[in-house]
Amino acid sequence: MAGNRVLVPLSDTVTVRQTVSYAVRSGLEDADSLEVHLVVALPHDTEVPEGDEQREEANQLLARARRWLAEDAGDADVTVESAVLGDDEYLFGPRDYADAFEEYADEHGVDLVVIDPEYKPGVTSSILQPLERELDAAGLSYDEAAVERPARHERLVGEGTERFDRYFALFWISFGFYLVLGDPTYWFDLVTGVAVAGIVSASLANVTFSFPLDRIESPIRTVRFAFYVPYLIWEIVKANVAISVVILRPSMPIAPTITRVNTRVRSGLPLLALANSITLTPGTLTVRANDQRLIVHTLIPSAREDLFDGSLERAVRFVFNGRESARIPSPRERGDAEIIGGDEL
Amino acid sequence: MIEAARFWAIVVLVVAGLFFTFVSAVGVIRLPDIYARAHTASQTDTLGAGLALAAVALALGWQQASVYTVLLLFFVFITNPTAAHAIARSAAETGIEPVTADSATDDGSPDSGTGAPDRNSSEPDAGSDVDGGETA
């Protein structure tokens, strides 16, 4: 009988060890030989400065997983392959991961993906549910590893410095906001501000940031965001004028279309910023946001062209990922923009 | 001199804000369906409210209250697209099909106003196939 071939995507979680043994156990249940493909998917291409470090971590994880496999397999017939995926492209959302896994699975004839329930590639938050949906869509069968995991709150509490950064950042954000509303020169407001900011950061720091803060990167992002706002306002003014002209013309030359744009921004705050910016600009309206796939209603052709040129997407990438990553092809050039019928909503 | 310039700047900002709010109202009446109307409704919030609040900030001068107007604008800019998206999304989930350029050219010109109300309230049964279509 031909052996099973399973694909196990790894990430550094508390349950990764159990996932590996589950893959071996379940794989050997109905076959006498097993081929395990261990892969680590990197979220960003390794061209970025921290790329080497990520690559190194990925290789260490793979080496550890190989040892675990050898331990679990005993004398059963288990062969191991390992690979690092996504080091030459950006994997932004669950869909990209599913695509990468599918490509790998096709190449190596893998028929089952065993997923760690806590699977958390790179630095994004858990993507298990959307990933399963995308694997379904890609026609790849998967199995969620049966693992025992520690209670969730243990995971939420980050490491020492990271936790401190969260409290620190949230404290100053809330303190600053309090003083904007109050009077920064009045001692009473300063004292109550410290108290309020302390309570806010102590109680909410763990849920405020979905993304680990970086001591250098996060302030830079805030500064870049300050550059983004005037740009966005300028875009809004331009679009407002264009739409006003169309509405006030007696013939009202509108050409509404429904378009689908696959964006290349990370889920969470960047995607929110992009979708909101698209909606804020008159002429384009985000109707649906399924992960990175935005369904956008456009009112006039020029607004659609602007959307397909992806200037807002570049700007959002500039804010969150820096100038390097802003230089990507427009959605039109990538083939990520298309006009779809109204019935496909 | 500076006072006069400030006065006229305030007048210009208020008038421009009123203009965009007016255009937005005209658009809500003229545009054919709920999706198109959501576009123009956001004009009121962005430039309409934005210019009016800028005028308020300028009129109040450099004091605490003008900081509030900036904050106000900031929150309008966050909540407005969220609300517009929520409306459009629920419209899509209820199964309202948008008037598109193709469907509009079938009957000559984009139907302005008259056909719209039926369109928004019709098709109560179309919602059932929306969920199926979404995952595809």
Side-chain angles (χ1 to χ4, degrees):
Chain A
M1 169 175 181
N4 279 340
R5 290 194 179 132
V6 296
L7 175 67
V8 187
L10 301 175
S11 63
D12 201 3
T13 62
V14 285
T15 48
V16 60
R17 174 73 186 90
Q18 294 181 61
T19 306
V20 170
S21 32
Y22 175 86
V24 173
R25 238 183 312 128
S26 65
L28 286 173
E29 252 167 36
D30 55 349
D32 25 303
S33 72
L34 178 69
E35 197 176 309
V36 181
H37 292 261
L38 302 167
V39 295
V40 173
L42 294 177
H44 306 296
D45 53 32
T46 41
E47 298 295 307
V48 293
E50 61 269 32
D52 288 338
E53 201 181 306
Q54 283 181 355
R55 209 164 221 297
E56 186 53 34
E57 278 172 22
N59 285 331
Q60 279 174 11
L61 182 60
L62 285 174
R64 258 185 305 167
R66 270 171 174 276
R67 280 201 301 277
W68 296 333
L69 262 181
E71 223 170 82
D72 291 334
D75 39 9
D77 182 12
V78 176
T79 40
V80 189
E81 297 280 331
S82 57
V84 177
L85 298 183
D87 55 346
D88 53 355
E89 60 188 329
Y90 274 91
L91 300 178
F92 265 108
R95 191 185 188 212
D96 295 339
Y97 285 100
D99 282 349
F101 295 151
E102 200 213 348
E103 199 179 304
Y104 184 89
D106 273 354
E107 230 166 82
H108 296 82
V110 171
D111 30 46
L112 182 70
V113 182
V114 174
I115 315 176
D116 180 352
E118 296 275 307
Y119 185 56
K120 209 176 135 195
V123 279
T124 50
S125 48
S126 177
I127 60 163
L128 183 68
Q129 272 186 356
L131 179 65
E132 288 184 346
R133 202 173 64 215
E134 295 295 345
L135 285 174
D136 262 340
L140 206 57
S141 55
Y142 60 85
D143 190 5
E144 198 178 304
V147 296
E148 288 166 13
R149 50 189 132 165
R152 249 188 128 66
H153 59 259
E154 282 186 41
R155 228 168 45 79
L156 275 176
V157 179
E159 285 167 37
T161 57
E162 193 192 307
R163 210 163 77 203
F164 171 79
D165 285 354
R166 282 162 191 249
Y167 288 125
F168 185 81
L170 190 58
F171 178 86
W172 286 107
I173 291 170
S174 38
F175 187 54
F177 187 66
Y178 191 89
L179 289 186
V180 167
L181 293 180
D183 179 1
T185 55
Y186 180 35
W187 66 268
F188 181 79
D189 280 3
L190 289 172
V191 173
T192 49
V194 168
V196 168
I199 293 168
V200 167
S201 59
S203 54
L204 297 177
N206 278 332
V207 293
T208 306
F209 306 104
S210 63
F211 195 77
L213 296 172
D214 190 298
R215 286 185 184 178
I216 300 161
E217 199 54 25
S218 296
I220 291 179
R221 272 190 207 124
T222 315
V223 173
R224 288 205 208 105
F225 187 75
F227 283 105
Y228 175 66
V229 171
Y231 171 74
L232 179 63
I233 289 176
W234 171 237
E235 289 291 314
I236 288 172
V237 171
K238 272 199 305 190
N240 257 304
V241 171
I243 292 288
S244 303
V245 168
V246 167
I247 286 174
L248 292 181
R249 265 173 74 174
S251 62
M252 202 168 65
I254 57 167
T257 46
I258 299 283
T259 59
R260 183 192 289 130
V261 182
N262 292 338
T263 59
R264 287 270 181 271
V265 295
R266 181 170 61 74
S267 282
L269 204 54
L271 188 63
L272 175 80
L274 179 60
N276 265 6
S277 305
I278 287 174
T279 309
L280 262 179
T281 322
T284 50
L285 170 73
T286 313
V287 179
R288 282 193 170 275
N290 294 333
D291 304 322
Q292 270 68 23
R293 271 166 302 173
L294 301 180
I295 307 279
V296 182
H297 184 272
T298 61
L299 194 57
I300 53 174
S302 72
R304 188 176 67 227
E305 294 309 306
D306 284 351
L307 178 71
F308 285 6
D309 285 338
S311 49
L312 279 177
E313 185 189 32
R314 284 205 192 100
V316 169
R317 283 180 66 114
F318 165 70
V319 170
F320 288 95
N321 302 87
R323 206 184 306 184
E324 286 293 303
S325 74
R327 283 195 219 102
I328 58 160
S330 69
R332 196 207 316 272
E333 287 157 9
R334 296 198 303 261
D336 273 346
E338 56 178 331
I339 296 173
I340 59 175
D343 46 349
E344 276 190 61
L345 272 178
Chain B
M1 176 59 204
I2 300 251
E3 271 308 296
R6 198 173 86 158
F7 173 77
W8 284 110
I10 293 169
V11 169
V12 166
L13 286 175
V14 169
V15 168
L18 275 174
F19 170 75
F20 282 107
T21 312
F22 171 73
V23 168
S24 162
V26 172
V28 167
I29 294 168
R30 289 196 74 192
L31 288 167
D33 71 344
I34 186 168
Y35 300 101
R37 286 173 176 175
H39 287 284
T40 187
S42 78
Q43 282 189 291
T44 322
D45 287 340
T46 53
L47 276 198
L51 292 170
L53 282 174
V56 169
L58 206 55
L60 289 173
W62 189 247
Q63 54 157 305
Q64 189 77 27
S66 48
V67 177
Y68 295 166
T69 62
V70 175
L71 274 181
L72 209 53
L73 194 60
F74 181 69
F75 288 116
V76 165
F77 268 48
I78 293 177
T79 50
N80 156 51
T82 313
H85 171 67
I87 291 169
R89 188 189 144 97
S90 55
E93 273 178 6
T94 337
I96 298 171
E97 283 190 18
V99 175
T100 55
D102 308 333
S103 65
T105 45
D106 290 344
D107 45 36
S109 63
D111 50 339
S112 48
T114 49
D118 320 337
R119 196 163 190 102
N120 294 349
S121 56
S122 67
E123 300 161 330
D125 56 335
S128 55
D129 56 21
V130 169
D131 290 331
E134 187 193 344
T135 49

